[in-house]
Amino acid sequence: MHAPVNIRKIVSLTALLSLLLVVLNSIALYIAPQGRVAHWVDWRFLGLTKTQWSDQHILVGLLFLIALCLHIYYNWTPIIAYLKNKARKIKVFTLDFNIALALTVVFTIGAYAEVAPFRWVVDFSEAIKNSVAESQGEPPYGHAQDSALDTFAGKTGLDLADSLSRLKQAGIRMDNPEQTLLEIARQNKITPQNVYEAIQPDEMPAPDSSLPKNPLQGLGKRTLSDICRQFGLDTAAVITILKNRDITATPDSSIRQIADQHGMEPADVYEIIKSE
């Protein structure tokens, strides 16, 4: 004979298991590179892509929230007991409650104000993300993997006929030039970056020294040296340009960090560099 179902135990265990998964998802998303890089190099952690981790985080987080609400419902009596003083009267702002509230407020304000040591946690995540981008490479522009091959060739200055020939030589199958790089990559079980590497000519043209008219994809998270490297700019010269506008920056500073330190928006910093 089976033991009767215990709803309270099911709720508590569901909350515990979903919490463990939320923690795992949070770790995965904490170290995951920016979307443009993750999709370009087909980044995976424990076999799952960034999109899969993100989707799972949302759904498992919802399960945890439901279980937590039910857990509070089934444990309402002991929770109320936590709010009672020695006279057994309910007093919301007890010492324990005030400490819990203070911790919550400090972490919330610390995250909003982006001050140390809370900012260190975010900066460490950004450092991990940037290291992946530097080691595995970035797309030439945002959402490049979703561009059709003929469109991609036009935007990157590659000859389409030569690109088709190089794909054939590399044994990469494709149906037509209107296929996106992502579709070609999946068809051949490789990454969009592998497709791009296969169609690059033996001698690449010098980097385009003209910045695009509109701000770059993910501008705020990119470092000054990263942008200068992509467009063939002299990093020291750009830093001097900014210094002449009373804007201090280092090669490793992200555009958002530079902007925040001077009460600006990342697009404003970009326009200053572009205008010079």
Side-chain angles (χ1 to χ4, degrees):
M1 184 176 181
H2 295 289
V5 174
N6 189 316
I7 300 298
R8 294 172 66 101
K9 288 184 178 180
I10 292 175
V11 168
S12 296
L13 291 174
T14 300
L16 173 62
L17 293 175
S18 57
L19 173 62
L20 294 176
L21 280 177
V22 167
V23 171
L24 179 60
N25 293 335
S26 299
I27 293 173
L29 295 176
Y30 183 79
I31 65 175
Q34 289 85 358
R36 66 179 187 277
V37 177
H39 299 312
W40 183 246
V41 302
D42 193 26
W43 178 90
R44 292 172 184 267
F45 178 66
L46 299 180
L48 300 181
T49 64
K50 181 176 181 177
T51 299
Q52 291 171 326
W53 279 113
S54 180
D55 292 345
Q56 185 180 193
H57 187 67
I58 293 173
L59 294 175
V60 176
L62 177 61
L63 175 63
F64 173 69
L65 181 62
I66 294 172
L68 181 62
C69 290
L70 289 174
H71 181 76
I72 293 174
Y73 171 77
Y74 284 113
N75 293 275
W76 186 249
T77 300
I79 290 175
I80 291 298
Y82 295 152
L83 300 176
K84 290 182 178 180
N85 56 20
K86 293 182 178 180
R88 307 304 296 171
K89 291 183 178 180
I90 295 179
K91 182 180 179 182
V92 176
F93 294 101
T94 62
L95 176 61
D96 297 330
F97 182 87
N98 290 339
I99 293 175
L101 178 62
L103 287 172
T104 303
V105 170
V106 168
F107 271 74
T108 301
I109 294 178
Y112 176 77
E114 298 183 345
V115 296
F118 307 99
R119 183 65 203 178
W120 297 343
V121 179
V122 178
D123 288 343
F124 185 60
S125 174
E126 290 298 324
I128 296 175
K129 296 176 186 296
N130 291 333
S131 68
V132 175
E134 291 176 3
S135 63
Q136 299 190 35
E138 295 192 49
Y141 58 88
H143 302 288
Q145 73 279 353
D146 296 322
S147 296
L149 180 61
D150 51 4
T151 302
F152 180 83
K155 286 187 174 183
T156 54
L158 299 175
D159 182 76
L160 179 58
D162 181 65
S163 297
L164 294 173
S165 175
R166 289 179 179 278
L167 286 177
K168 186 175 181 180
Q169 292 175 7
I172 297 177
R173 295 174 290 104
M174 61 169 294
D175 299 326
N176 58 73
E178 296 180 358
Q179 278 187 285
T180 66
L181 266 69
L182 182 59
E183 290 172 341
I184 297 173
R186 287 177 175 173
Q187 185 176 338
N188 292 272
K189 297 182 179 180
I190 55 178
T191 69
Q193 185 184 44
N194 296 145
V195 178
Y196 180 44
E197 291 171 346
I199 63 177
Q200 286 188 19
D202 298 329
E203 294 185 5
M204 291 295 293
D208 185 1
S209 60
S210 60
L211 291 169
K213 178 179 180 181
N214 297 319
L216 305 171
Q217 181 78 16
L219 173 66
K221 296 180 179 180
R222 304 186 66 176
T223 63
L224 190 62
S225 61
D226 173 43
I227 293 176
C228 291
R229 182 170 57 252
Q230 179 177 351
F231 293 97
L233 304 176
D234 186 330
T235 305
V238 172
I239 291 177
T240 300
I241 289 172
L242 294 174
K243 186 177 181 180
N244 291 337
R245 297 289 191 95
D246 296 324
I247 299 173
T248 57
T250 66
D252 295 330
S253 299
S254 71
I255 302 301
R256 177 164 295 283
Q257 288 174 334
I258 298 172
D260 289 347
Q261 289 170 0
H262 298 85
M264 307 168 66
E265 293 294 327
D268 297 329
V269 178
Y270 181 81
E271 285 301 321
I272 291 174
I273 299 173
K274 181 173 174 292
S275 65
E276 296 289 344

